[in-house]
Amino acid sequence: MHVQVGIVGAGPAGLLLGHLLHLKGIDSVILESRNREYVIDRVRAGVLEQFTVDLMTHVGLGTRVHREGMRHDSLYLSFAGGRHYVPLAELTGGRAIYVYGQNEVVKDLVEARIATGRPLHYEVRNVSVLNIDSTRPSIRYTANGDQEELTCDFIAGCDGFHGICRPALGNLVTFYDKTYPFGWLGILAEAAPSSEALVYTYHERGFALFSMRSQRITRLYFQVPPEEDINQWPDDAIWQEMLTRMSTQDGWRPNVGCILNKNVTAMRSFVTEPMCAGRLYLAGDAAHIVPPTGAKGLNLAASDVLHLARALACFYGSGSTHLLEQYSETALKRVWRSQRFSWWMTQTLHRFPDGNPFDHKRQLTDLDYITSSTAALTSLAENYVGLPMELAF
Ligand code: APR
Ligand code: PHB
């Protein structure tokens, strides 16, 4: 079997790339190690930048996000007992973010893929990539017990942080890594959101975040040690900690409800440079990880695959490899912007175990400055809603 582009991984990056290539008449095979339900059901982040929604709309995937997603023109920063309003849209010429779960994005993408009739294989095993330095790289895998080999013009490694593609780049790449001495305990709760906007809280007991998934479901997080065992947290203790950190002097607090899902995620910043070797191109979490504080992960996957689709379309349209040669540099520019912002949000809003009272005062002053300066608030807002990007490809 031969295909123009072999895509490893059917998360947001792999599926969106497949869709963009389809629109350009470029064929692809998508190979995913898990089953479809697992990929759709796993609870992940849920904030889309303006650019990501614009892209989905531009490529015919915008119907449900506009109908069911929640557009947010603002957020709150909360510290020292007070909530401070950040008018995102007003500060950025009308740009906003959308709360729309990653599972919903994946559902839309799977449906679009199935409608194209192009291959999407779940539960493939033993995936490996070969001959990436040649013009005929290939992907070997087993499906239903049979060994298969797919030769490709190009391979897109969209297999997430724990995938096999990044290790296949060889030793000419550099990894930039930062782990944080905390993780997030996250819950989905059956409770109507008590605020129309997200609330990012810096509390002396640590970070907390109020978010939502729908008019009925609240999504909440708070900072815990990175190896925290979720079983040490009965539901009552979780609510008590949430309320302690989030309640503000104006009487605001999250509504309490039945906890539907709870987990702990570790946090890190990670970048692979360059994001390619030979004919293997990484996109999304396979190439980089951001801490969730800036809500950028899914959006970077979208910007990577837009650059990659544009470069592949240019190659198939004109034979020119110049955009492919620039892919890593172009994609990394936005990746590093988001890395910087996510790191900044993280270090401003969390308590570090080795932090001292000086750090606490400095962080409070930073937040006080940001919320009282239009210049600083505008900087925060433009980074949070994300930079505009050319959508044509
Ligand atoms: N072979 C095939 N598929 C694989 C393999 C493999 N060896 N290893 C992993 N995968 C699959 C995973 O099961 C997963 O479905 O690759 C997919 C990668 O998807 P994600 O981890 O969601 O990564 P990505 O598509 O880059 O999405 C961007 O950014 O911040 C995050 O939450 C955000 O997950 C989102 C991500
Ligand atoms: C979420 O709703 O899951 C969410 C929101 C904002 C973040 C991270 C996660 O920064």
Side-chain angles (χ1 to χ4, degrees):
M1 260 271 290
H2 182 83
V3 67
Q4 288 175 304
V5 182
I7 301 177
V8 186
L15 289 165
L16 182 57
L17 178 64
H19 186 71
L20 300 180
L21 295 177
H22 165 75
L23 295 178
K24 288 291 171 184
I26 300 167
D27 67 328
S28 64
V29 171
I30 306 180
L31 302 170
E32 165 62 48
S33 55
R34 303 286 191 152
N35 64 43
R36 185 188 305 178
E37 293 67 36
Y38 177 89
V39 177
I40 289 180
D41 289 342
R42 68 191 153 181
V43 179
R44 292 280 188 98
V47 171
L48 305 183
E49 289 180 0
Q50 182 72 53
F51 143 75
T52 306
V53 173
D54 291 347
L55 177 62
M56 287 173 71
T57 311
H58 184 68
V59 299
L61 297 169
T63 312
R64 226 159 55 87
V65 65
H66 287 291
R67 194 176 61 221
E68 295 170 31
M70 304 163 98
R71 181 186 153 102
H72 286 221
D73 284 337
S74 60
L75 58 77
Y76 287 101
L77 285 178
S78 172
F79 57 96
R83 274 193 305 163
H84 301 261
Y85 186 69
V86 184
L88 297 170
E90 197 183 305
L91 293 167
T92 59
R95 300 173 69 72
I97 55 119
Y98 294 73
V99 171
Y100 189 63
Q102 176 171 324
N103 1 36
E104 305 305 327
V105 175
V106 171
K107 261 188 234 164
D108 294 343
L109 288 166
V110 168
E111 192 178 307
R113 178 72 182 184
I114 290 170
T116 67
R118 295 193 191 268
L120 165 56
H121 301 303
Y122 286 96
E123 297 186 71
V124 302
R125 306 263 178 256
N126 309 316
V127 180
S128 60
V129 295
L130 303 138
N131 306 319
I132 62 165
D133 288 324
S134 75
T135 53
R136 275 287 174 275
S138 63
I139 308 174
R140 215 174 261 167
Y141 60 98
T142 42
N144 305 316
D146 297 328
Q147 171 137 348
E148 309 279 353
E149 185 156 339
L150 179 68
T151 63
C152 315
D153 295 344
F154 299 95
I155 298 175
C158 301
D159 50 349
F161 189 63
H162 301 288
I164 52 93
C165 288
R166 189 176 60 255
L169 290 181
N171 50 16
L172 292 179
V173 290
T174 304
F175 302 120
Y176 298 88
D177 198 5
K178 187 173 191 67
T179 51
Y180 297 91
F182 39 75
W184 280 11
L185 186 156
I187 62 166
L188 271 182
E190 203 161 0
S194 60
S195 159
E196 77 291 354
L198 272 59
V199 185
Y200 285 82
T201 300
Y202 175 66
H203 186 271
E204 56 189 16
R205 292 178 62 81
F207 172 82
L209 170 61
F210 172 92
S211 180
M212 63 201 75
R213 284 292 176 277
S214 70
Q215 302 297 349
R216 286 187 312 106
I217 305 287
T218 304
R219 176 92 171 126
L220 302 167
Y221 302 91
F222 61 76
Q223 169 187 352
V224 289
E227 310 295 338
E228 194 79 332
D229 178 4
I230 190 68
N231 298 313
Q232 299 302 313
W233 283 93
D235 292 2
D236 286 351
I238 292 178
W239 280 119
Q240 198 180 348
E241 193 63 30
M242 292 289 181
L243 293 172
T244 302
R245 296 195 196 183
M246 290 186 191
S247 302
T248 47
Q249 281 156 4
D250 59 5
W252 179 79
R253 44 170 262 175
N255 288 330
V256 173
C258 174
I259 296 182
L260 305 172
N261 178 288
K262 55 181 175 181
N263 66 347
V264 173
T265 1
M267 294 178 51
R268 72 193 304 166
S269 302
F270 182 92
V271 181
T272 308
E273 263 200 66
M275 285 168 53
C276 52
R279 286 192 164 211
L280 172 60
Y281 293 83
L282 302 187
D285 276 16
H288 40 72
I289 293 284
V290 281
T293 331
K296 296 290 177 209
L298 181 52
N299 300 291
L300 283 180
S303 61
D304 285 354
V305 299
L306 175 57
H307 289 306
L308 187 52
R310 190 178 282 144
L312 289 166
C314 171
F315 174 83
Y316 285 110
S318 69
S320 166
T321 56
H322 83 280
L323 288 185
L324 282 168
E325 284 154 23
Q326 287 168 16
Y327 165 68
S328 177
E329 201 182 322
T330 315
L332 281 168
K333 233 178 154 160
R334 194 176 180 95
V335 168
W336 276 114
R337 282 271 191 126
S338 295
Q339 287 288 358
R340 185 207 69 80
F341 178 66
S342 304
W343 163 84
W344 177 81
M345 287 278 279
T346 302
Q347 61 98 34
T348 305
L349 291 166
H350 289 73
R351 293 222 68 178
F352 284 70
D354 62 352
N356 62 21
F358 177 90
D359 294 305
H360 181 54
K361 287 282 187 188
R362 175 184 57 74
Q363 284 169 263
L364 285 173
T365 307
D366 208 0
L367 289 163
D368 182 51
Y369 165 61
I370 292 157
T371 50
S372 54
S373 152
T374 307
L377 213 52
T378 306
S379 166
L380 172 98
E382 73 177 3
N383 278 285
Y384 192 77
V385 301
L387 299 173
M389 234 177 110
E390 172 61 51
L391 298 179
F393 69 100

